[in-house]
Amino acid sequence: MITENHEFMNDVLILALESSCDETAVAVVKNGRDVLSNVIDSQIKLHSEYGGVVPEIASRKHIERISQVTEKALTEAQIKLKDITAIAVTYGPGLVGALLVGVSFAKAVSFASGIPLIGIHHIEGHISANYIENKDLRPPFVCLVVSGGHSHLVIVRDYGGYEVIGRTRDDAAGEAFDKIARALGLGYPGGPAIDSVSREGNPEAICFPRGKVDGAEFDFSFSGLKSAVINTMNSSRMKGEEVKVADVAASFQRAVVDVLVERSMEAVRRYGFPAFAIAGGVAANTSLREAFQAACEKERVAFYHPSSGLCTDNAAMIGVAGYHEFRKGVRSGYDLNAVADLKIGMR
Ligand code: KG4
Ligand code: ZN
């Protein structure tokens, strides 16, 4: 049993919930940087049987798990619900049925307890993950957000103040990793599989195209690259040649990394901020991190990234974003709804 805790009386304690895709995640975050608990109930095994996330299964699993995961997060943090300052919940973008579980649960807990509710943008959460382990990181900085659903170049002007300067025109970077991994028979999720198999391959074996978007220097396009990889594999198979999976994976990965680094460094030079950060699931990629480390050293800007576990979906990042929204006075009403295609910077 947890006893009454006066220690936290002047602290801002955020109970954060994240259910936008295939992780049921709940965390308790203190004063925007200290993670007291971060529980992630992953459904990856369930979905890997189908080669990708099945939305209906994701929603059902969130419903089954969200109460227990919340209890576990409070217990691990040694915090009682009544000591929580605000409840932060991801309300978009993501799978609408999955988001609705977290949003409905958060609204119910908020209504029953009287604790204020704050709806959080998932991408704002990913960016905020950088504040957890990098205690010296402060806006302004340029941030590249690369996940399964998003590839955005963002200017972080202030805590919670964003300007999107570039985005993907087609596939997100993580989506490209997942699709190519499936084509190579590496399973789901594809990013970690390609990351690991690429270590055995030659990134210069095949020169895949580095997509550019005319007239939009900070935008990305990965569909041409994806088609080129699939065409290369098909033509090798038709000629009866062996497809060297590690070489294809490493060459594909190199092409993605090159494009992301080139566009990002262009933004770093243009805006002149002293720091650059990456966020989102793809930010866990080893080769991407190494390339950014080198590029940032060359540009003489500080390079920040969350540790791998905080790059992929989690609720601690939502708690950090929730803290900053709370400090700005943002509160959501009980009409808060899940918004599958929520744009960054919108409320
Ligand atoms: O941020 P996230 O957990 O979920 C979304 O908001 O989409 O990102 C998941 C994506 C997946 O596409 C996964 O393949 C990719 O991140 N990913 C990686 C790595 N780890 C996860 N991509 C490349 N290399 C990795 N090590
Ligand atoms: Zn995410």
Side-chain angles (χ1 to χ4, degrees), residues 90-311:
T90 306
Y91 75 109
L95 301 169
V96 76
L99 287 164
L100 269 173
V101 179
V103 169
S104 310
F105 185 83
K107 284 202 281 191
V109 176
S110 165
F111 185 72
S113 62
I115 298 169
L117 176 73
I118 306 169
I120 298 294
H121 194 293
H122 183 75
I123 299 300
E124 187 181 341
H126 274 303
I127 295 169
S128 304
N130 273 291
Y131 299 127
I132 298 170
E133 296 146 312
N134 302 307
K135 307 290 183 201
D136 60 327
L137 175 63
R138 275 166 181 68
F141 58 92
V142 178
C143 186
L144 172 74
V145 189
V146 269
S147 71
H150 312 272
S151 297
H152 284 106
L153 252 177
V154 181
I155 302 300
V156 183
R157 295 221 176 263
D158 198 353
Y159 296 105
Y162 308 100
E163 186 190 329
V164 178
I165 56 164
R167 52 172 56 78
T168 180
R169 294 296 182 100
D170 36 60
D171 289 349
E175 194 179 353
F177 269 96
D178 292 337
K179 287 178 179 168
I180 294 304
R182 192 181 311 165
L184 288 169
L186 295 172
Y188 175 83
I194 290 193
D195 194 350
S196 123
V197 82
S198 292
R199 286 181 207 128
E200 321 286 310
N202 173 8
E204 274 150 29
I206 309 156
C207 185
F208 288 126
R210 274 72 169 151
K212 279 209 163 184
V213 180
D214 286 342
E217 59 186 328
F218 299 130
D219 280 0
F220 311 100
S221 167
F222 296 109
S223 67
L225 166 63
K226 188 183 67 188
S227 305
V229 177
I230 290 169
N231 288 344
T232 302
M233 285 163 55
N234 287 344
S235 83
S236 298
R237 280 178 187 137
M238 273 162 61
K239 286 187 218 150
E241 292 167 5
E242 182 202 351
V243 174
K244 287 193 179 135
V245 172
D247 283 353
V248 176
S251 303
F252 158 77
Q253 182 172 272
R254 171 65 65 84
V256 174
V257 168
D258 279 358
V259 167
L260 293 175
V261 172
E262 193 208 289
R263 304 286 189 285
S264 302
M265 288 305 115
E266 191 58 46
V268 162
R269 284 189 288 272
R270 176 74 56 85
Y271 286 86
F273 300 134
F276 170 77
I278 54 174
V282 181
N285 187 272
T286 331
S287 171
L288 186 78
R289 285 165 182 243
E290 284 166 7
F292 271 122
Q293 186 67 53
C296 285
E297 269 167 31
K298 201 167 150 219
E299 296 297 333
R300 295 175 185 279
V301 295
F303 172 50
Y304 295 91
H305 59 78
S307 58
S308 296
L310 291 171
C311 285

